[in-house]
Amino acid sequence: MATPASEGQLKEAIKSALPEVLAENPELFRGIIEDVVEEIGLAQAIREGLETDPVDEEEVRRILGETS
């Protein structure tokens, strides 16, 4: 039966594997960065939205050029 790895051992294993994974699959890294940037933008939009007055849905649709 295998012995559980310590937190330090897990960190070292990840540190050593990460460069290899990124070298073999750079799109994975790109996708992660894109997701992080989107999440940061969404969080900022939510914070800003919490500090503003509510807007009527019809007004939003009119601005976006949609009809209901």
Side-chain angles (χ1 to χ4, degrees):
M1 184 169 169
T3 306
S6 70
E7 183 177 337
Q9 290 171 322
L10 288 173
K11 284 182 182 180
E12 286 304 313
I14 291 171
K15 285 180 185 179
S16 66
L18 190 58
E20 183 178 337
V21 169
L22 294 177
E24 291 177 4
N25 192 353
E27 288 301 313
L28 174 65
F29 183 69
R30 180 185 172 133
I32 291 170
I33 296 299
E34 287 174 351
D35 289 346
V36 168
V37 170
E38 286 179 9
E39 292 295 326
I40 291 170
L42 179 58
Q44 181 62 31
I46 290 170
R47 280 191 294 275
E48 290 176 11
L50 292 173
E51 297 175 2
T52 61
D53 293 330
V55 178
D56 182 61
E57 181 180 347
E58 291 301 319
E59 178 67 9
V60 172
R61 289 184 183 279
R62 185 189 65 73
I63 291 170
L64 294 175
E66 296 180 8
T67 58
S68 43

